[in-house]
Amino acid sequence: MLAVFYLAGAVAIVSTALMVTRLNAVHALLYLVVSLLAVAVVFFTLGAPFVAALEAIIYAGTIMVLFVFVVMLLNLGERATAVERQWLAPGMWVGPAILSAILIAEVAYILTHASGQSSVATMVGPKQVGLALFGPYVIGVELASLLLMSALIGAYHLGARQPKVEIRHDLNTAERRAAPGGDPVRAGAGRPAGTA
Amino acid sequence: MLMSIEVMLNAAGLAFVIAGARWSQADGQVMFLFILAMAAAEVSVGLALVLQLYHQYGSLDVDAVSAMRG
């Protein structure tokens, strides 16, 4: 179990470092998903299975799906299919595939061999978490519900298709806008080099 | 950008869970649940802001919005 912990931690560190250094958003997303799954395995080996499940479901599932949707949404156009084919070049998914294969092997090892053994730390199950959450921390639950409600309203307000804001002329917006069909990330690079 | 914020929040949650496992208390996992809710809220608002930025400027460059309207 200790070796599983260290291996999952190494996978998390390596995938996070690779994610930070990627230049393409989709490649960074792939490594980020692997990193979150590795942290989920770390949580499981630490004796926190409830949090591990939440990490895999909410972080690696829901939030990453949001990211993927937005990244794919911002790349519509004629070049989209060619760009996506370039993104899925074999050299690009080999790294995340190897790292997640290590994680899958670890989970298979846990499920087959190490069931019933004592983990690194003492197990804190979902029942204790629930008792603490709705006992002394119930005001935090209410605050989290308020935060989620305000985030829902804010995201709805921001996401509504608003008329384009009249932009002042001294901002040189014509230079800052992306050329049609151009790379949206590189657009707005009209400033002097080296000031980025 | 937003992905790095996710990594930082995840690191804070990892520290909370490890501390909770060290003293075998459930408080660390409760704090991780709060971090999770906060990260979900932050991501929804942040991605809506990114979509608005792309809609208004046709660019994802944050430096394009370095000037205020006033």
Side-chain angles (χ1 to χ4, degrees):
Chain A
M1 210 59 161
L2 203 58
V4 171
F5 169 75
Y6 281 120
L7 195 53
V11 168
I13 289 172
V14 166
S15 60
T16 306
L18 285 172
M19 169 243 150
V20 171
T21 53
R22 288 309 97 176
L23 294 180
N24 198 321
V26 176
H27 303 159
L29 270 177
L30 283 178
Y31 280 111
L32 183 54
V33 171
V34 176
S35 165
L36 293 176
L37 290 176
V39 173
V41 174
V42 167
F43 284 164
F44 187 80
T45 56
L46 280 173
F50 180 56
V51 161
L54 279 184
E55 170 101 9
I57 293 171
I58 295 181
Y59 251 123
T62 314
I63 295 180
M64 286 306 108
V65 164
L66 264 181
F67 268 107
V68 168
F69 262 120
V70 170
V71 168
M72 293 296 178
L73 205 62
L74 296 182
N75 283 283
L76 293 178
E78 303 86 19
R79 293 167 58 244
T81 53
V83 167
E84 286 178 14
R85 191 167 295 123
Q86 174 197 347
W87 283 345
L88 292 180
M92 292 309 167
W93 51 264
V94 160
I98 289 174
L99 291 176
S100 48
I102 294 174
L103 289 180
I104 287 176
E106 284 187 347
V107 170
Y109 172 75
I110 290 173
L111 286 180
T112 54
H113 292 83
S115 62
Q117 291 185 4
S118 64
S119 56
V120 176
T122 55
M123 180 87 80
V124 179
K127 186 179 176 184
Q128 291 167 267
V129 176
L131 282 176
L133 187 62
F134 289 98
Y137 287 100
V138 69
I139 186 69
V141 177
E142 298 297 331
L143 285 176
S145 70
L146 270 179
L147 180 71
L148 285 174
M149 186 69 198
S150 58
L152 175 68
I153 295 173
Y156 174 73
H157 175 70
L158 285 172
R161 190 50 69 109
Q162 297 165 355
K164 193 160 286 188
V165 177
E166 191 65 33
I167 299 163
R168 293 168 63 98
H169 295 294
D170 54 0
L171 290 183
N172 293 324
T173 54
E175 294 178 7
R176 290 165 187 259
R177 285 194 62 87
D183 192 358
V185 182
R186 294 283 173 250
R191 58 186 179 276
T195 61
Chain B
M1 36 185 247
L2 285 173
M3 283 182 271
S4 307
I5 299 178
E6 291 303 311
V7 170
M8 286 189 276
L9 287 175
N10 211 20
L14 180 64
F16 268 118
V17 171
I18 285 180
R22 166 64 179 81
W23 285 283
S24 65
Q25 295 289 318
D27 302 345
Q29 299 189 35
V30 171
M31 282 300 160
F32 182 80
L33 293 187
F34 291 153
I35 287 176
L36 202 63
M38 197 263 293
E42 170 260 330
V43 155
S44 61
V45 174
L47 286 178
L49 276 174
V50 165
L51 282 178
Q52 275 299 317
L53 175 68
Y54 185 73
H55 179 229
Q56 300 284 342
Y57 285 89
S59 157
L60 288 184
D61 195 355
V62 187
D63 292 335
V65 284
S66 58
M68 297 179 79
R69 282 186 71 205

